[in-house]
């Protein structure tokens, strides 16, 4: 398990069961804060494109100061970005960032939604974005989420009026929001959605603007602000002991894989929102003129009369005294015909009832997971920490019900046990958007009721039927795995349903650099006790596998066994895939279980197709020993080992002349100078290594997000920029046709730039000294050619290479041309 240090806080505004399986334990001030929110019947939806795009200051302000029901719709899950804390990229990165967003919402009090749009990488224009996304489907998702959430107010993070001025995903999110605003109340728009939801009309649409969108603070000061509202989001919450900005900082700091951990801030701070649609509020209240009281709903006046009185006369010393009135308000609320607000406020009210009664209810499984048709035990803990008259009538999990009908006496714990059998048709626990193969731009979700949800609903919950003051009330809790570790203390994990076994191939890309066979290990992990079956390795025509079917038996859950398959490639260059298939009692299992485990998110189990790409190519190289300095995380070392290099990871603290002298080449990982502070003190050793005859290959760094960390990145003039080529199919022109990097030991031709993935490269230098030779030119449609993708300069006896080519994506994806080009970079001849 990878562990991260995260900030601890002494307050909790909201616990989302998808984020923390630990039960919420509210203080009197937190109960009062929840009561204030209960008495506000208004909602706001914030819309943008990615995790980290959201303005946590404004979301927290709306949720905790205005008291509105607030949510963030991120069109994507951030799958196309980089990962500063681990190896997860693409789909797995999207799972990690989903949980980080849920963690942010658990801090700022918001909810979280997503569309089916896939973050395919950086896009320069909405036209490019919508050529890859399915506009009709993504727009439909936005419409459906608005119809379900029913916001009174929508706020866009980005400007829809200036396409091409920022990330294409950003502008597209705003464009779709503006279009959806006019569609959600039209019954002819996406009529199939109206089977499960209703039309709706938000009252106002805003754009969360700032001086940045005007080009400068001076330009913003001079701008017409007649359509702008100014909100001071730096307010202090005495009940919580923190300011809004401190909450916002904690929320944004959940985005650890993007390096967004930051110091909390305090003090007054203005946010501006520009009215796009609807009537202009007469004051600084974005809900001005919108009924947000209990009179908004049928039967709500009587409910509000009770709850507002409780708020006005709240007993902080003994909140239990309000239990009879809260129960009465709940009874009255059930008579309302407004199903939307009744559902929302009933759940909020039940949480407050549970809190003032001091109820502790837990359903703890005896293991982390089970299988379809499997069995597990659940330990029930029920505790009433008040003098209220409460009886536990029954506990139901799935189809199993236990009816103890026992009085919960003050502070006297009741423990029960249920034996649960998992129905054989129970779906596996895995992100629903990854269950079927999608496209480059869209995830496939067959169950349309799941669209918008941040994660897959859990298979098992415990329904606690209680009698509180002689009124029957059911409170639902997730089934969890509750345990402890000596070095961490008390922990909770989600309970999961998984297949009987999973098979995996460690290397997702296997390169055959000649016609020799390779031994490929396939590992089976048992996810239940006593499994017996057959493991088969499936392959394509032209490839050969000896002993392709092997029998196996594994006795204990959690144990693994590894089986070797001899794979022989064809005699010609080719790309294909191999995939293990497990057969157990007539059932075929073809998924690999990937576990994503960090301290700041719940452990995630992801079931992905188990396969590996196999590539037969004719590749030549010189040198053998490669040194690698890790940066923000890439799989370059594993990729180089695939083609026969011996790669040693260099500890930055140990960099010196002696430690570097035996390497034939040294590779610096992506963004190393951004994240490895020691390099500022070690750079002169690396440059001396080049001067003495070594090849140094530095992959891309950024010069905008924080300091580069070193003054002498290059021995010559070299200025980084934000230049990038996002079209992976962009035409590549060869500038230095006679340079050895294009001719030795592998001949690089135009065909070697076919079938690249996600992009050509990023953060190219745009200025460099005459000592450098630019090797390639490339450009996105409608742009001038960028020549800084690979720059090579002789320095002393060696070669200094700076490259923004996205080798960190291409090599793990098994792109043959990228392997040949990288091998040539490592094989540059000395300058004698």
């Amino acid at each position: 398990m990878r562990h991260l240090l995260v900030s601890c806080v002494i307050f909790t505004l909201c616990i989302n069961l998808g984020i923390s399986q630990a039960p919420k334990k509210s203080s009197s001030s937190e109960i009062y804060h929840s009561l204030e929110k209960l008495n506000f019947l208004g909602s706001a939806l914030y819309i943008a494109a990615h995790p980290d795009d959201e303005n946590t200051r404004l979301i927290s302000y709306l949720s905790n100061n205005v008291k509105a029901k607030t949510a963030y719709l991120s069109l994507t899950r951030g799958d196309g970005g980089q990962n500063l804390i681990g190896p997860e990229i693409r789909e797995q990165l999207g799972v990690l960032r989903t949980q980080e967003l849920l963690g942010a919402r658990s801090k700022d009090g918001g909810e979280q939604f997503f569309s089916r749009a896939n973050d395919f990488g950086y896009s320069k224009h909405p036209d490019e974005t919508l050529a890859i996304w399915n506009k009709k489907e993504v727009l439909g998702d936005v419409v459906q989420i608005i119809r379900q959430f029913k916001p009174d107010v929508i706020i866009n993070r980005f400007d829809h009026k200036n396409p091409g001025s920022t990330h294409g995903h950003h502008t597209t999110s705003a464009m779709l929001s503006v279009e959806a605003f006019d569609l959600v109340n039209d019954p002819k728009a996406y009529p199939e959605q109206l089977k499960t939801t209703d039309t709706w009309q938000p009252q106002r649409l805003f754009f969360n603007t700032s001086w940045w969108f005007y080009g400068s603070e001076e330009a913003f000061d001079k701008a017409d602000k007649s359509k702008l509202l100014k909100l001071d989001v730096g307010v202090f919450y005495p009940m919580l002991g923190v300011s809004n900005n401190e909450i916002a900082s904690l929320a944004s700091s959940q985005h650890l894989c993007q390096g967004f951990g930051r110091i909390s801030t305090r003090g007054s701070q203005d946010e501006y929102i520009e009215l796009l649609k609807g009537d202009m509020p007469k004051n600084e209240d974005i809900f001005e003129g919108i009924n947000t009281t209990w009179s908004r709903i049928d039967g709500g006046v009587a409910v509000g009369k009770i709850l507002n009185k409780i708020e006005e006369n709240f007993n902080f010393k003994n909140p239990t005294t309000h239990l009879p009135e809260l129960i009465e308000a709940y009874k009255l609320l059930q008579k309302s015909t407004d199903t939307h607000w009744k559902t929302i406020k009933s759940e909020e009210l039940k949480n407050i009832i549970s809190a003032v009664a001091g109820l502790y209810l837990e359903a703890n499984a005896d293991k982390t997971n089970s299988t379809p048709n499997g069995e597990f035990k659940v330990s029930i803990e029920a505790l009433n920490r008040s003098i209220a008259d409460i009886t536990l009538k029954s506990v139901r999990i799935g189809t199993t019900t236990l009816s103890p009908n026992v009085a919960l006496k003050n502070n006297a714990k009741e423990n029960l046990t249920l034996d649960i059998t998992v129905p054989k048709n129970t779906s596996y626990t895995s992100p629903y958007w990854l269950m079927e193969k999608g496209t480059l731009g869209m995830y496939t979700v067959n169950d349309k009721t799941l669209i918008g949800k941040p994660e897959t609903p859990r298979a098992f919950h415990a329904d606690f039927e209680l009698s509180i003051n002689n009124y029957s009330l059911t409170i639902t809790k997730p089934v969890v795995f509750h345990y402890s570790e000596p070095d961490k203390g008390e922990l909770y994990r989600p309970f999961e349903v998984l297949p009987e076994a999973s098979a995996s191939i460690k290397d997702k890309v296997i390169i055959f650099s000649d016609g020799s066979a390779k031994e490929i290990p396939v590992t089976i992990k048992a996810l239940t006790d006593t499994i017996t079956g057959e493991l088969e390795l499936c392959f394509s025509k032209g490839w050969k596998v000896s002993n392709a079917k092997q029998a196996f038996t594994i006795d204990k859950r959690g144990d693994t066994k590894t089986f070797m398959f001899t794979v022989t490639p064809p005699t010609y260059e080719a790309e294909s895939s191999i995939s293990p298939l497990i057969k157990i009692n007539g059932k075929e299992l073809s998924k690999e279980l990937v576990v994503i485990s960090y301290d700041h998110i719940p452990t995630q189990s992801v079931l992905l197709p188990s396969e590996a790409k196999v590539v037969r190519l004719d590749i030549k190289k010189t040198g053998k020993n490669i040194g690698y300095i890790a940066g923000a995380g890439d799989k370059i070392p594993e990729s180089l080992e695939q083609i026969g290099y011996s790669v040693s990871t260099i500890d930055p603290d140990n960099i010196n002349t002696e430690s570097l002298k035996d390497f034939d080449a040294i590779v610096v990982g992506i963004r190393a100078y951004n994240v490895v502070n020691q390099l500022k003190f070690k750079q002169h050793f690396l440059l001396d290594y080049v001067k003495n005859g070594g090849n140094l290959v530095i992959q891309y760094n950024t010069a905008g997000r924080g300091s580069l960390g070193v003054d002498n990145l290059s021995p010559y003039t070299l200025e980084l920029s934000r230049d990038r080529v996002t079209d992976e199919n962009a035409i590549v022109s060869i500038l230095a046709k006679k340079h050895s990097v294009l001719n030795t030991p592998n001949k690089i031709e135009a065909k070697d730039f076919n079938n690249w993935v996600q992009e050509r490269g990023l953060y190219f230098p745009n200025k460099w000294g005459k000592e450098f030779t630019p090797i390639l030119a490339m450009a996105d449609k409608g742009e001038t050619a960028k020549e800084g993708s690979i720059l090579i300069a002789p320095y002393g006896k060696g070669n200094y290479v700076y490259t923004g080519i996205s080798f960190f994506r291409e090599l793990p994806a098994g792109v043959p041309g990228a392997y040949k080009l990288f091998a040539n970079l490592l094989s540059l001849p000395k300058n004698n």
Side-chain angles (χ1 to χ4, degrees):
M1 179 185 289
R2 295 178 297 276
H3 303 297
L4 301 172
L5 293 175
V6 294
S7 299
C8 295
V9 294
I10 60 172
F11 63 92
T12 303
L13 297 177
C14 169
I15 291 293
N16 182 316
L17 292 176
I19 284 302
S20 173
Q21 299 297 310
K24 182 179 179 180
K25 302 162 187 175
S26 298
S27 66
S28 291
S29 60
E30 290 165 343
I31 295 172
Y32 181 77
H33 188 70
S34 298
L35 186 61
E36 290 180 304
K37 288 187 175 184
L38 179 67
N39 284 330
F40 188 93
L41 279 71
S43 53
L45 180 64
Y46 199 87
I47 298 180
H50 310 107
D52 85 1
D53 283 345
E54 82 275 25
N55 184 338
T56 55
R57 293 185 300 272
L58 192 50
I59 290 175
S60 179
Y61 175 85
L62 292 170
S63 176
N64 297 300
N65 187 68
V66 179
K67 308 298 190 301
K69 186 175 176 62
T70 307
Y72 173 44
L73 166 56
S74 175
L75 293 192
T76 77
R77 297 175 185 267
D79 325 69
Q82 287 89 50
N83 185 355
L84 289 181
I85 61 174
E88 294 85 7
I89 58 173
R90 291 302 310 152
E91 293 88 354
Q92 295 178 44
L93 179 60
V95 174
L96 171 56
R97 290 189 172 180
T98 293
Q99 294 300 318
E100 289 186 337
L101 264 181
L102 286 170
R105 299 294 77 76
S106 75
K107 301 300 181 186
D108 60 33
E111 298 179 39
Q112 185 64 51
F113 298 114
F114 295 95
S115 81
R116 288 172 291 169
N118 189 346
D119 179 4
F120 55 83
Y122 192 86
S123 171
K124 294 181 177 179
H125 198 278
D127 290 347
E128 178 191 9
T129 300
L130 293 173
I132 297 175
W133 288 354
N134 183 318
K135 179 186 175 182
K136 180 180 178 182
E137 291 187 356
V138 180
L139 177 60
D141 291 356
V142 176
V143 169
Q144 178 174 321
I145 291 164
I146 293 174
R147 284 173 170 173
Q148 290 172 341
F149 186 67
K150 293 182 170 33
D152 300 300
V153 173
I154 296 176
I155 303 174
N156 293 342
R157 182 68 182 101
F158 298 105
D159 186 4
H160 71 288
K161 301 184 293 292
N162 297 300
S165 60
T166 183
H167 196 321
H169 296 181
H170 292 170
T171 309
T172 300
S173 71
M175 292 167 60
L176 294 179
S177 175
V178 171
E179 192 170 346
F181 187 91
D182 295 327
L183 291 178
V184 292
N185 202 32
D186 182 358
K188 295 180 181 178
Y190 302 96
E192 69 281 358
Q193 297 178 3
L194 302 180
K195 296 176 183 177
T196 57
T197 188
D198 303 311
T199 56
W200 177 252
Q201 185 55 62
Q203 298 300 300
R204 296 182 180 117
L205 175 65
F206 293 97
F207 158 43
N208 184 195
T209 189
S210 69
W211 68 262
W212 187 88
F213 291 96
Y214 288 76
S216 68
E217 294 189 54
E218 292 76 13
F220 182 64
D221 289 340
K222 297 175 182 178
D224 176 15
K225 297 184 177 62
S226 60
K227 289 290 186 179
L228 269 60
L229 292 183
K230 183 173 73 171
L231 308 172
D232 183 357
V233 298
V235 295
F236 178 67
Y237 304 124
M239 285 290 176
L240 302 175
V242 291
S243 67
N244 190 72
N245 284 344
E246 288 174 293
I247 295 172
S249 297
L250 284 167
S252 62
S253 290
Q254 301 307 302
H255 298 295
L256 295 181
C257 74
Q258 300 187 71
F260 270 46
R262 61 190 177 102
I263 295 174
S264 61
T265 59
R266 287 150 293 279
S268 179
Q269 183 168 3
D270 292 334
E271 285 286 343
Y272 291 88
I273 54 175
E274 176 188 347
L275 183 71
L276 301 179
K277 290 179 179 289
D279 61 307
M280 187 70 181
K282 297 175 183 178
N283 51 39
E284 301 300 323
D285 178 9
I286 66 174
F287 285 92
E288 187 274 326
I290 300 172
N291 186 3
T292 59
T293 71
W294 279 102
S295 66
R296 176 174 193 160
I297 67 171
D298 169 61
V301 173
V303 177
K305 185 177 181 180
I306 296 172
L307 295 177
N308 286 316
K309 184 178 179 181
I310 296 174
E311 182 181 339
E312 292 171 7
N313 302 281
F314 190 72
N315 187 337
F316 286 90
K317 289 186 176 181
N318 186 13
T320 307
T321 59
H322 299 299
L323 190 57
E325 295 98 322
L326 291 169
I327 293 292
E328 183 61 28
Y330 185 88
K331 290 180 185 178
L332 291 173
L333 180 56
Q334 304 318 299
K335 299 177 182 179
S336 175
T337 59
D338 187 316
T339 56
H340 174 72
W341 282 110
K342 181 171 73 173
T343 300
I344 293 168
K345 294 303 178 181
S346 291
E347 195 61 32
E348 292 180 15
L349 192 44
K350 281 199 291 186
N351 290 336
I352 292 174
I353 289 170
S354 179
V356 301
L359 274 172
Y360 184 90
L361 304 171
E362 181 177 285
N364 178 27
D366 64 345
K367 51 189 174 183
T368 59
N369 62 276
S370 188
T371 62
N373 237 17
E375 298 178 345
F376 64 101
K377 291 183 180 295
V378 177
S379 298
I380 299 297
E381 180 180 341
L383 181 62
N384 171 17
R385 291 173 288 190
S386 72
I387 60 171
D389 179 14
I390 301 176
T391 298
L392 177 60
K393 297 169 69 176
S394 68
V395 182
R396 184 177 67 255
I397 300 177
T399 59
T400 303
T401 301
L402 187 66
S403 302
N405 203 33
V406 59
L408 298 180
K409 298 178 181 179
N410 180 28
N411 217 28
K413 184 168 57 176
E414 291 291 337
N415 293 111
L416 307 165
T417 302
L418 280 78
D419 294 314
I420 307 297
T421 299
V422 182
K424 64 179 181 181
N425 60 345
T426 303
S427 298
Y428 298 136
T429 302
S430 190
Y432 69 84
W433 62 96
L434 299 179
M435 297 302 288
E436 302 290 339
K437 185 175 179 62
T439 65
L440 175 63
M442 297 294 295
Y443 285 118
T444 298
V445 179
N446 293 324
D447 184 353
K448 298 300 186 283
T449 64
L450 293 173
I451 292 174
K453 293 183 184 298
E455 56 185 348
T456 305
R458 295 290 168 179
F460 289 97
H461 290 79
D463 294 324
F464 293 82
E465 184 186 1
L466 303 162
S467 173
I468 304 178
N469 289 359
N470 295 316
Y471 181 74
S472 183
L473 192 70
T474 298
I475 295 176
T476 301
K477 298 288 183 180
V479 174
V480 298
F481 177 63
H482 182 186
Y483 65 110
S484 67
E485 290 184 2
D487 58 338
K488 294 184 180 300
E490 188 175 41
L491 298 169
Y492 291 81
R493 280 187 60 171
F495 177 78
E496 300 169 325
V497 178
L498 300 173
E500 289 83 350
S502 76
S504 61
I505 301 174
K506 179 183 177 183
D507 297 318
K508 302 309 176 189
V509 173
I510 302 171
I511 305 295
F512 293 78
S513 56
D514 54 34
S516 302
K518 284 191 175 186
E519 293 289 310
I520 308 300
V522 178
T523 300
I524 297 178
K525 182 173 184 177
L527 303 175
T528 188
D529 290 333
T530 315
I531 57 172
T532 299
E534 182 181 71
L535 174 63
E536 178 181 353
L537 189 62
C538 305
F539 56 96
S540 302
K541 183 179 179 180
W543 297 76
K544 298 179 181 178
V545 177
S546 63
N547 57 335
K549 296 182 180 180
Q550 301 183 43
F552 70 87
T553 297
I554 304 178
D555 294 328
K556 294 293 185 181
R557 173 177 174 271
D559 283 353
T560 62
K561 279 190 177 180
T562 299
F563 301 84
M564 304 302 295
F565 295 85
T566 304
V567 178
T568 304
T571 56
Y572 47 86
E573 290 195 342
E575 297 179 49
S576 186
S577 64
I578 55 175
S579 55
L581 181 67
I582 299 173
K583 298 179 180 179
I584 301 175
N585 297 326
K587 180 187 289 189
E588 294 185 346
L589 304 174
S590 60
K591 299 285 189 179
E592 174 187 0
L593 174 62
V594 177
V595 177
I596 301 175
S597 180
Y598 292 94
D599 283 354
H600 68 300
I601 66 168
T603 300
Q604 298 295 298
S605 294
V606 186
L607 294 170
L608 297 173
S610 184
E611 58 185 4
K613 182 177 181 180
V614 287
V615 181
R616 164 72 169 96
L617 57 84
D618 293 315
I619 190 169
K620 304 178 182 67
K621 61 186 188 300
T622 61
K624 176 72 174 178
N625 298 316
I626 306 298
Y628 171 76
I629 300 171
D634 60 42
K635 294 187 177 181
I636 296 298
E638 298 92 326
S639 300
L640 297 180
E641 289 171 347
Q642 288 277 353
I643 56 174
Y645 283 108
S646 175
V647 183
S648 301
T649 298
I650 301 172
D651 183 344
D653 289 328
N654 296 332
I655 293 176
N656 56 53
T657 301
E658 184 66 22
S659 68
L660 303 181
K661 66 182 180 65
D662 293 330
F663 291 117
D664 297 309
I666 293 174
V667 178
V668 181
I670 61 172
R671 296 179 66 178
Y673 292 93
N674 299 128
V675 299
V676 182
N677 292 328
Q678 298 98 312
L679 287 181
K680 71 175 67 175
F681 309 111
K682 302 293 184 175
Q683 180 70 354
H684 67 283
F685 290 116
L686 293 173
L687 296 181
D688 286 346
Y689 164 79
V690 180
K691 196 173 185 179
N692 294 329
N695 288 335
L696 176 66
V697 179
I698 297 178
Q699 298 182 88
Y700 93 92
N701 288 264
T702 63
R705 287 186 176 179
S707 171
L708 187 58
V710 63
D711 295 326
N712 57 335
L713 177 67
S714 161
Y716 311 114
T717 299
L718 185 68
E719 294 185 17
L720 307 186
S721 75
R722 298 184 67 85
D723 287 352
R724 62 200 303 162
V725 177
T726 62
D727 182 359
E728 64 269 30
N729 299 310
I731 295 174
V732 176
S733 301
I734 295 177
L735 299 176
K737 295 182 179 179
K738 295 183 179 181
H739 198 286
S740 60
V741 77
L742 299 175
N743 296 279
T744 304
N746 302 287
K747 179 69 175 177
I748 304 300
E749 302 173 296
K751 66 178 182 179
D752 291 309
F753 296 97
N754 294 339
N755 302 317
W756 284 45
V757 299
Q758 188 157 329
E759 64 201 355
R760 289 295 190 193
L762 62 170
Y763 297 104
F764 299 159
N766 61 355
K767 292 182 181 179
W768 51 84
K770 58 182 174 50
E771 298 86 355
F772 282 103
T773 299
I775 305 301
L776 306 171
M778 57 190 72
D780 284 320
K781 183 179 178 180
E783 295 189 357
T784 58
K786 307 294 186 294
E787 298 184 355
S789 61
I790 298 180
L791 299 171
I792 302 176
Y795 181 58
K797 298 179 181 179
N799 298 281
Y800 176 96
V801 180
Y802 188 92
T803 177
I805 293 286
S806 60
F807 288 109
F808 72 100
R809 297 196 192 280
E810 311 311 322
L811 298 193
V815 177
Y819 270 93
K820 292 180 180 180
L821 181 56
F822 206 89
N824 284 10
L825 290 173
L826 299 177
S827 302
L828 287 168
K830 290 188 177 183
N831 300 294
N832 295 319

